Amino acid sequence: MVFLNSCLFTEKIKNTIIFVGLVFFSSITTVSAETNPNKPKRIVSINLCTDQLLMALVETERIISVSHLSRDPSISSFSGSANTLHINYGTAEEIYHLKPDLVLAGEYSKKNVVGVIKELGLNIVTVEVANSLKAMRSNLLKVAAVLGEEAKAKILVSKIDNLFLSKNTYAEKPVAIVWRARGLTDGRGSLVHDLLQAHGFRNLSEILGRGAVGNINLEQIIIARPELVIIPDPKQDYPSLSQLLFKHPALRSLDRGTKPWLRIIKIPEWGLICGGPQVLKAFEVLASARLDLLNNKQTR
Amino acid sequence: MEHDNKSPVAYFPYPGLLFLLAALVTVLFIMSVFWGTVSIPAITLLDVLFGDNSPSAIILRELRLPRAILALAVGASLGMSGAALQGLLRNPLAEPGLIGVSGSAALGSVIAFYSGLSVTYTLALPVGGMIGACFSVGLLYYLAGRDPSILTIILAGVAINAVAGALTILALNLAPNPFAAFEVFFWLLGSLTDRSMKHLFMALPFIGIGVCFLLSTSRGLDALTLGEDVAFSLGISIKSLQARIVLGIALAVGASVSVAGVVGFVGLVVPHLLRPFVGYRPGRLLIPCALGGAALTLAADIVVRFATQGPELQLGVLTSLIGAPFFLVLVVKTRREGR
């Protein structure tokens, strides 16, 4: 029984992992659809990350439905406007009923749903994980082509480029870590890693030899003494087992104390979950944290 | 009662057994505090005593110590609950995890946590666990108390587990947190990683009271082996005995599950291993099983830290890997004896 249950669970886990760990910075590559001369006007998105790209690129009149997760203010950057939009739970039946001319899905959206939607003859575009700034950038342009919004995308991309590619002039490279629920971290080969590097941080996850997605426990953080620990800031205060970690007294005792070698900052979770224009928010927060750190060093 | 000493090891001196087990627990406890992802020199202990704020001191004081004490308390309550339950039902297969007590405690905790109750009232979490556990032990006793055959107990356990599992999923589906199912999946596999003193203060009092309840049943459990009528004529109140065991298990297991998740099979493996050493007397089995359970859980909790490269193995996964084969052997053995 136990084993059977756990087998059934793995499928669920796979789907959930999308949101929790792996696809924190996913963005888009076109898989099946070609550039559309006539802009799609009835667009449905069934993935939180495609929801956000859609909101950034397209006027809401053309969106007929977004995923239900987009109403959650802690993981969605546009939860406010999502409240007025129709939401779906990603089942083939409800999507078919909406008669969309374009469906956007994530790479890890339920495989059976994507298959059925294809069989029903709907135009579906699946989204891949962007593991780097470069991938996120080119995917943004590609999906914009599908939506017929190349001009908008170009403005966004140049904005991102200006921020990321401006060479940082910091001589010192303090150690930082993005520490997520259940101790998950982003190492080399992730967009977060690129983000940290752009601000002249060394990524603790990389120093400890973790892959693109790794796991670091509280003991290791306390011993490694990174100068900056970045944790998600849940806007919605629902009870969460995996967020309890951030309330552990051992972590907080490092933040205060007489020898504060560790600084903890919070970034809105939606700024870290998906690779899209909302990453700019995370960029701002990191930039100010970097300045703070510099100023503190000087005054000390 | 010397006649039921079937095994040669039955003459193993009881104080000697207790001493050995206590020594084992002490050694494992010390290892648990000093061994981990990061190794800490023993000298740091002095710093901790003087309230130092060095990283090592913080790790020892705020992470390792609560973790080791919790492993000890959770293991002891699971081991003792298993022994008491087996004595009450006169069946070696009864175990808090298998018959759904842990699952029901988990249900109670999940409801207390995701409804937000535990945010307002910290104690809601262990209380939820205890209510769930109490409900399931009561139900089990109602279903199988009169006829504690293997079949009835296992079937009752399957039913209770199924109901608890279904209601847990229902509670998760209704929870506002979209990641609830994901989080609880791991929590149900049991773990003591990154627990704090807060968890300790939350669970320890209840575990203590539960263990006291169970300890008070020692004489009654011994008498019960002679049958309910004989036990009654020996001055044992069966009703009171049952009530104390049900309550004791509910408190100990309920509070344990609410902080550590489901750590299975400890209550099955430990009593089975130790039974020959106490002359098959269920009353005498209680204290050795508490010590044995603590030792097994402490040892397992040390192994999980080193077993895998990446994230730690879940504690309950390891105890299940050890316990499940045990269970199979026991089923075969009990069936053979039953014929």
Side-chain angles (χ1 to χ4, degrees), chain A residues 43 51 54-55 59-67 70-71 78-88:
Chain A
I43 309 166
D51 289 345
L54 201 55
M55 288 299 289
E59 56 273 31
T60 43
E61 292 76 46
R62 286 165 63 194
I63 304 171
I64 38 173
S65 179
V66 288
S67 83
S70 61
R71 281 192 184 169
F78 65 99
S79 55
S81 37
N83 280 326
T84 56
L85 283 169
H86 176 272
I87 55 162
N88 67 74

Side-chain angles (χ1 to χ4, degrees), chain B residues 49-247:
Chain B
L49 289 176
F50 291 111
D52 181 40
N53 260 345
S54 75
S56 303
I58 286 173
I59 288 182
L60 272 192
R61 202 170 49 219
E62 311 225 24
L63 284 163
R64 297 276 176 83
L65 209 57
R67 182 174 184 167
I69 299 174
L70 270 181
L72 188 119
V74 167
S77 64
L78 289 174
M80 193 184 259
S81 300
L85 203 58
Q86 290 162 20
L88 177 67
L89 296 169
R90 277 163 282 168
N91 191 307
L93 293 182
E95 196 265 342
L98 279 174
I99 59 168
V101 180
S102 304
S104 306
L107 169 65
S109 305
V110 162
I111 293 174
F113 188 82
Y114 285 105
S115 65
L117 262 181
S118 68
V119 178
T120 336
Y121 312 100
T122 316
L123 285 183
L125 197 64
V127 169
M130 287 182 289
I131 293 173
C134 190
F135 185 72
S136 66
V137 191
L139 187 64
L140 180 85
Y141 197 76
Y142 172 75
L143 290 172
R146 295 287 128 197
D147 164 35
S149 70
I150 310 167
L151 205 64
T152 333
I153 287 179
I154 298 300
L155 283 179
V158 168
I160 293 171
N161 258 329
V163 173
L167 291 178
T168 305
I169 302 288
L170 176 68
L172 293 177
N173 274 333
L174 299 176
N177 182 346
F179 308 129
F182 178 76
E183 294 177 345
V184 166
F185 171 75
F186 280 100
W187 182 72
L188 283 177
L189 297 176
S191 172
L192 290 166
T193 314
D194 295 337
R195 297 301 190 270
S196 65
M197 284 293 176
K198 198 180 139 204
H199 290 104
L200 201 62
F201 296 137
M202 205 162 71
L204 219 51
F206 297 109
I207 292 179
I209 299 170
V211 164
C212 288
F213 267 122
L214 293 178
L215 280 176
S216 77
T217 63
S218 167
R219 205 173 77 86
L221 281 175
D222 276 347
L224 198 62
T225 52
L226 305 171
E228 285 188 12
D229 295 337
V230 181
F232 185 72
S233 70
L234 285 172
I236 303 293
S237 159
I238 303 292
K239 280 258 150 58
S240 149
L241 181 71
Q242 291 162 353
R244 274 176 288 151
I245 290 182
V246 169
L247 214 60

Side-chain angles (χ1 to χ4, degrees), chain A residues 1 3 5-6 9-10 12-13 16-17 19-20 68-69 72 75 179 181-182 184 210 215 217-220 222-223 225 236-245 248-251 253-254 256-259 261 269 273, chain B residues 36-38 40 52-56 58-59 62-64 67 113-116 118-119 158 162 169 172-173 176-179 181-188 193-197 199 305 309-312 314 321 324:
Chain A
M1 279 292 284
F3 292 110
N5 275 339
S6 67
F9 243 119
T10 45
K12 268 196 170 174
I13 283 279
T16 325
I17 274 178
F19 305 114
V20 179
H68 68 284
L69 289 174
D72 186 329
I75 50 177
W179 206 41
R182 294 202 72 249
L184 288 174
R210 301 297 190 274
N215 193 291
N217 66 24
L218 192 46
E219 289 189 8
Q220 285 162 321
I222 291 171
I223 285 292
R225 303 179 181 206
Q236 179 117 315
D237 206 17
Y238 40 61
S240 160
L241 273 178
S242 36
Q243 304 268 355
L244 286 182
L245 189 60
H248 198 289
L251 185 66
S253 70
L254 287 180
R256 42 181 166 77
T258 45
K259 299 173 218 161
W261 52 75
E269 212 169 358
I273 281 185
Chain B
T37 345
V38 185
I40 288 169
D52 181 40
N53 260 345
S54 75
S56 303
I58 286 173
I59 288 182
E62 311 225 24
L63 284 163
R64 297 276 176 83
R67 182 174 184 167
F113 188 82
Y114 285 105
S115 65
S118 68
V119 178
V158 168
I169 302 288
L172 293 177
N173 274 333
N177 182 346
F179 308 129
F182 178 76
E183 294 177 345
V184 166
F185 171 75
F186 280 100
W187 182 72
L188 283 177
T193 314
D194 295 337
R195 297 301 190 270
S196 65
M197 284 293 176
H199 290 104
R305 301 175 199 178
Q309 275 282 308
E312 273 185 17
Q314 300 286 124
L321 284 176

Side-chain angles (χ1 to χ4, degrees), chain A:
Chain A
M1 279 292 284
V2 178
F3 292 110
L4 187 67
N5 275 339
S6 67
C7 287
L8 289 172
F9 243 119
T10 45
E11 189 54 37
K12 268 196 170 174
I13 283 279
K14 258 188 211 158
N15 289 328
T16 325
I17 274 178
I18 309 160
F19 305 114
V20 179
L22 293 176
V23 188
F24 279 110
F25 277 90
S26 88
S27 66
I28 291 178
T29 3
T30 54
V31 170
S32 55
E34 278 109 55
T35 308
N36 203 336
N38 311 314
K39 291 181 179 182
K41 288 184 183 62
R42 297 184 57 80
I43 309 166
V44 169
S45 163
I46 62 170
N47 173 281
L48 179 64
C49 295
T50 48
D51 289 345
Q52 315 215 42
L53 277 158
L54 201 55
M55 288 299 289
L57 290 170
V58 170
E59 56 273 31
T60 43
E61 292 76 46
R62 286 165 63 194
I63 304 171
I64 38 173
S65 179
V66 288
S67 83
H68 68 284
L69 289 174
S70 61
R71 281 192 184 169
D72 186 329
S74 49
I75 50 177
S76 162
S77 58
F78 65 99
S79 55
S81 37
N83 280 326
T84 56
L85 283 169
H86 176 272
I87 55 162
N88 67 74
Y89 292 86
T91 66
E93 200 173 306
E94 61 179 322
I95 295 162
Y96 191 69
H97 269 289
L98 293 169
K99 300 194 184 70
D101 55 8
L102 175 67
V103 180
L104 290 179
E107 184 184 358
Y108 292 98
S109 288
K110 294 171 197 151
K111 287 276 183 290
N112 51 340
V113 174
V114 174
V116 169
I117 291 174
K118 265 183 196 156
E119 271 175 41
L120 291 171
L122 294 179
N123 179 23
I124 182 162
V125 173
T126 46
V127 169
E128 271 177 22
V129 186
N131 292 327
S132 66
L133 173 67
K134 214 174 141 194
M136 166 189 150
R137 191 179 170 282
S138 67
N139 287 346
L140 192 67
L141 290 171
K142 279 184 200 165
V143 83
V146 180
L147 296 168
E149 295 292 346
E150 290 94 333
K152 252 186 197 171
K154 269 183 191 140
I155 297 171
L156 280 171
V157 164
S158 66
K159 217 170 166 183
I160 291 169
D161 282 351
N162 281 338
L163 283 176
F164 275 82
L165 304 179
S166 60
K167 280 214 173 81
N168 71 75
T169 47
Y170 302 114
E172 224 181 305
K173 285 193 183 290
V175 176
I177 185 168
V178 171
W179 206 41
R180 300 177 192 277
R182 294 202 72 249
L184 288 174
T185 62
D186 309 64
R188 178 183 279 282
S190 66
L191 194 50
V192 167
H193 181 74
D194 284 1
L195 198 64
L196 288 175
Q197 292 221 310
H199 288 283
F201 286 110
R202 276 184 298 152
N203 188 354
L204 178 63
S205 183
E206 189 195 25
I207 297 171
L208 292 177
R210 301 297 190 274
V213 178
N215 193 291
I216 289 178
N217 66 24
L218 192 46
E219 289 189 8
Q220 285 162 321
I221 292 216
I222 291 171
I223 285 292
R225 303 179 181 206
E227 283 176 79
L228 188 66
V229 175
I230 299 141
I231 58 175
D233 175 21
K235 280 278 169 304
Q236 179 117 315
D237 206 17
Y238 40 61
S240 160
L241 273 178
S242 36
Q243 304 268 355
L244 286 182
L245 189 60
F246 305 128
K247 292 182 181 157
H248 198 289
L251 185 66
R252 286 185 303 171
S253 70
L254 287 180
D255 203 16
R256 42 181 166 77
T258 45
K259 299 173 218 161
W261 52 75
L262 188 139
R263 204 151 287 275
I264 300 168
I265 63 161
K266 289 181 171 178
I267 287 189
E269 212 169 358
W270 50 258
L272 296 169
I273 281 185
C274 297
Q278 71 275 11
V279 171
L280 296 176
K281 173 69 185 173
F283 197 97
E284 275 170 32
V285 178
L286 267 182
S288 73
R290 186 70 173 87
L291 272 177
D292 271 0
L293 218 61
L294 213 66
N295 292 338
N296 278 329
K297 278 248 168 76
Q298 281 165 355
T299 53
R300 218 182 279 167

